[in-house]
Amino acid sequence: MAIPIGPGLPPASRPRDSRPHDIRLWRHVTSREWNDWRWQVRNCIRTLEQLEQVIRLSPEEREGVALTRPGFAMSIPPYYAALMDPDDPTCPVRMQAVPRAHEAEALGVTDSLGEETHRVAPGLIHRYPDRALLLVTNMCQLYCRHCTRKRLTGQRNRLLSEAELEAALAYLRAHTEVRDVLVSGGDPLTLSDRRLEHFLTAVRAIPSVDILRIGTRAPVTLPQRVTPALVRMLRRYHPLWMNTHFNHPKELTPEARRACAMIADAGIPLGNQSVLLRGVNSSARI
């Protein structure tokens, strides 16, 4: 499905008031707070008690929260939580954000993508000849229940240190065949503009790296993160691509369309890496 952009989108300077007035947890939140991505991150749903104020949990979900908490944390931005149907456990947004009991069976599975075999420096994965993956953080706004990096994410927050970054950069300098670097995590847009720019500057300074890419779900799960200041900063690092992760039309809200439009208007091509998920998008119609 194409993401509609262009005329009719809310102006970048005036995000619409999308506060969920009927959810008691956020009844007294102002529009300014709701549209502040930092407020959203600080107020992510992380406990069963908070979640119960947003949706009516099924027994399987209630058990899932308890069983997965030790191995893979729950974190749901208020914006994304407000998209969940409070009464339907099969809601496609809810299925991606709320743990289920069967998820606990997969918590012992480590490195399902086989990335560690190709780890050449801290945070640096070199699987394909001309491209590499740089994991700069293990933090995400939303911990997707289908995450393939549960060995890294959803635990104690961690950022690639300066020493680790320098080791990764040294490898890239020595391996000039790598011309394309994907900055991912976790989600690099959990970082401040300043911290994200630090990583982009460091990689862009390597002459053999032609292309920078950012892997993020922020346009989907926290579109407030895409600000005019962020896109102004990103424009300095062309050629730059962004890969995001819409899985269902319900995620294509006015806020998400606005975020994608801002990114595209900054000259940053957008790619969508949709995951085939049973019950979420596993039908031809979706």
Side-chain angles (χ1 to χ4, degrees):
M1 173 178 285
I3 299 172
I5 59 175
L9 285 170
S13 59
R14 299 202 317 271
R16 75 186 187 115
D17 184 359
S18 61
R19 290 172 297 160
H21 299 277
D22 58 336
I23 298 177
R24 59 178 177 170
L25 186 61
W26 305 305
R27 190 171 296 160
H28 302 295
V29 174
T30 68
S31 179
R32 182 171 182 173
E33 288 173 322
W34 186 260
N35 287 297
D36 181 348
W37 71 272
R38 294 175 181 84
W39 181 91
Q40 289 276 339
V41 170
R42 288 195 302 269
N43 289 275
C44 281
I45 292 175
R46 296 186 173 92
T47 69
L48 181 65
E49 294 70 29
Q50 291 172 319
L51 190 59
E52 287 176 320
Q53 296 182 62
V54 181
I55 61 174
R56 280 170 275 283
L57 288 161
S58 69
E60 186 189 10
E61 289 172 323
R62 191 177 298 277
E63 185 182 7
V65 173
L67 290 175
T68 59
R69 182 177 293 176
F72 186 60
M74 176 179 66
S75 178
I76 312 172
Y79 160 83
Y80 198 75
L83 301 182
M84 299 189 296
D85 187 315
D87 301 308
D88 183 7
T90 66
C91 164
V93 173
R94 186 163 159 171
M95 290 178 70
Q96 296 180 67
V98 179
R100 306 289 177 106
H102 65 78
E103 185 185 326
E105 300 171 9
L107 287 180
V109 178
T110 60
D111 195 20
S112 60
L113 297 178
E115 291 177 333
E116 290 301 318
T117 304
H118 302 279
R119 185 165 66 89
V120 292
L124 189 66
I125 312 297
H126 187 192
R127 171 178 279 165
Y128 305 106
D130 65 340
R131 64 198 63 184
L133 169 67
L134 182 63
L135 305 175
V136 298
T137 179
N138 71 340
M139 294 176 280
C140 290
Q141 304 94 349
L142 170 77
Y143 290 120
C144 304
R145 306 325 300 181
H146 54 276
C147 180
T148 56
R149 289 196 184 122
K150 290 182 178 180
R151 75 188 191 281
L152 302 176
T153 58
Q155 301 299 320
R156 182 176 59 86
N157 291 345
R158 189 176 185 280
L159 194 66
L160 201 66
S161 70
E162 284 302 304
E164 291 169 330
L165 174 61
E166 183 49 45
L169 296 173
Y171 180 89
L172 292 173
R173 293 188 198 102
H175 290 263
T176 56
E177 72 273 18
V178 177
R179 54 180 296 273
D180 177 349
V181 175
L182 171 61
V183 179
S184 187
D187 193 320
L189 290 195
T190 57
L191 307 179
S192 67
D193 293 359
R194 181 185 61 82
R195 177 58 69 178
L196 175 60
E197 185 168 24
H198 175 67
F199 286 115
L200 296 179
T201 300
V203 178
R204 174 56 75 216
I206 299 173
S208 53
V209 175
D210 297 325
I211 294 171
L212 274 175
R213 288 183 289 147
I214 295 175
T216 176
R217 256 205 118 181
V220 186
T221 63
L222 186 61
Q224 294 87 348
R225 177 64 186 95
V226 182
T227 64
L230 173 67
V231 295
R232 280 197 302 270
M233 181 272 285
L234 294 178
R235 288 181 70 142
R236 296 197 284 267
Y237 295 92
H238 285 309
L240 177 69
W241 275 255
M242 186 174 286
N243 295 335
T244 189
H245 184 168
F246 287 91
N247 286 325
H248 193 275
K250 191 172 182 178
E251 297 171 325
L252 289 167
T253 65
E255 291 84 1
R257 292 192 298 118
R258 174 179 168 272
C260 289
M262 290 175 65
I263 295 165
D265 287 348
I268 301 169
L270 278 162
N272 189 59
Q273 295 178 305
S274 190
V275 176
L276 184 62
L277 299 171
R278 181 182 297 170
V280 173
N281 57 14
S282 56
S283 72
R285 182 178 68 85
I286 298 300

